[in-house]
Amino acid sequence: MPVTSIRRRWKSLALATSAVLVGLAVPALNAPSAGAATTAYDDTYYAAAIGKSGTALKDSLHTIISDQTKISYSAVWNALKVTDQDPDNSGNVILLYSGLSRSKSLNGGDTGDWNREHVWAKSHGDFGTSTGPGTDLHHLRPEDVRVNSVRGNKDFDDGGGTVSNGGGSLTDSDSFEPRDAVKGDVARMIFYMAVRYEGGDGWADLEVNSSVNNGSNPYIGKLAVLKAWNDEDPPDAFEKRRNQVIHDSYQHNRNPFIDHPEWVESIW
């Protein structure tokens, strides 16, 4: 049995045992499983999804998160200055892959600037920067212009050579591996896009697969690696705050895999 699977089973057993020791009731069969996250949105925003799994869960989440306010690509600049603000310096943003803190005013296309990184590469499904998947804040992040160019439209996988000033990110000819601290963030953004864009609203049906070199096809891999990253790097305070800001101030929808990381395993 893979080590990750053993660790996941051990964690669930430990949490379930702790619940019994403090006198909590054993959850019903249709309630979240032991170790599942619970949020203030379960009885409201996610009410139609709670208790479901697999395709039924994916379909329910698609319906829920498709109710969103869309913004223009130009509006993304100012939005990222809020969603990705450095918690220790309100005049800066945190760059996704490099982890650097950089002045909000240095947004643009020159060396030393930061620009708008499409974590789901916009060529994978050919949606460009059009309002919709091309402007969805749940997968748009600030990144150094040069590091963004190195990532390009590569799929995600483990391995490769060190990316200069990439914060520990690695890359090779057909894949990109972000620094450890944001591997889960990247995975959850990819899984969000695969659920949000199912081909029914004029855009391509985005799906996660087990390949690299997906080119312009509406797929991104590798599935097994992204699932492992989701497990290894759970949501932190920065990622949770970002999800909340997007929900409250911009798109009014949420990334369900930040609220419920265990839903990745349930769907994929």
Side-chain angles (χ1 to χ4, degrees):
M1 179 180 295
V3 172
T4 300
S5 180
I6 294 172
R7 182 168 60 248
R8 190 158 52 237
R9 289 192 177 187
W10 177 87
K11 182 179 179 182
S12 297
L13 178 59
L15 288 169
T17 302
S18 297
V20 172
L21 290 175
V22 296
L24 297 178
V26 176
L29 291 177
N30 63 345
S33 61
T38 58
T39 78
Y41 293 91
D42 288 359
D43 294 331
T44 52
Y45 188 75
Y46 294 122
I50 298 298
K52 295 180 180 177
S53 62
T55 301
L57 175 59
K58 186 181 182 187
D59 291 346
S60 182
L61 292 176
H62 169 72
T63 299
I64 292 168
I65 66 178
S66 294
D67 183 8
Q68 74 181 92
T69 300
K70 300 178 179 67
I71 68 172
S72 69
Y73 195 50
S74 61
V76 168
W77 284 122
N78 285 332
L80 292 181
K81 294 176 183 179
V82 179
T83 60
D84 291 75
Q85 178 175 294
D86 183 346
D88 297 320
N89 184 342
S90 62
N92 287 11
V93 293
I94 298 294
L95 307 185
L96 175 63
Y97 301 132
S98 66
L100 297 174
S101 178
R102 186 164 296 174
S103 173
K104 291 179 178 178
S105 65
L106 290 176
N107 63 294
D110 297 328
T111 300
D113 287 345
W114 61 268
N115 58 5
R116 297 159 291 186
E117 155 70 338
H118 289 79
V119 177
W120 186 292
K122 58 183 181 287
S123 63
H124 291 233
D126 196 29
F127 52 75
T129 59
S130 300
T131 300
T135 66
D136 196 314
L137 290 171
H138 282 297
H139 84 118
L140 282 161
R141 300 290 291 265
E143 185 48 65
D144 174 77
V145 167
R146 197 198 65 81
V147 175
N148 194 351
S149 178
V150 171
R151 188 270 158 133
N153 69 345
K154 294 174 182 175
D155 294 87
F156 294 105
D157 196 3
D158 290 321
T162 300
V163 176
S164 178
N165 297 316
S169 300
L170 306 174
T171 192
D172 57 23
S173 62
D174 57 16
S175 69
F176 189 88
E177 177 185 346
R179 61 191 176 100
D180 289 346
V182 296
K183 284 179 176 176
D185 307 49
V186 166
R188 287 180 284 274
M189 285 186 275
I190 293 299
F191 290 125
Y192 163 87
M193 292 292 284
V195 171
R196 169 60 186 87
Y197 299 98
E198 294 278 38
D201 50 3
W203 305 108
D205 180 5
L206 306 183
E207 296 294 344
V208 189
N209 69 6
S210 299
S211 302
V212 293
N213 285 323
N214 277 301
S216 62
N217 294 313
Y219 312 125
I220 278 188
K222 289 183 173 180
L223 175 59
V225 171
L226 291 166
K227 288 175 64 178
W229 291 355
N230 176 60
D231 287 342
E232 294 163 5
D233 174 38
D236 60 14
F238 187 92
E239 189 181 2
K240 291 176 181 178
R241 175 193 172 275
R242 189 175 197 279
N243 195 30
Q244 195 66 44
V245 171
I246 293 172
H247 174 265
D248 292 346
S249 302
Y250 295 100
Q251 296 182 180
H252 310 295
N253 71 340
R254 304 182 67 80
N255 181 335
F257 304 109
I258 297 174
D259 294 322
H260 284 279
E262 75 279 4
W263 281 346
V264 169
E265 185 65 33
S266 180
I267 293 173
W268 285 279

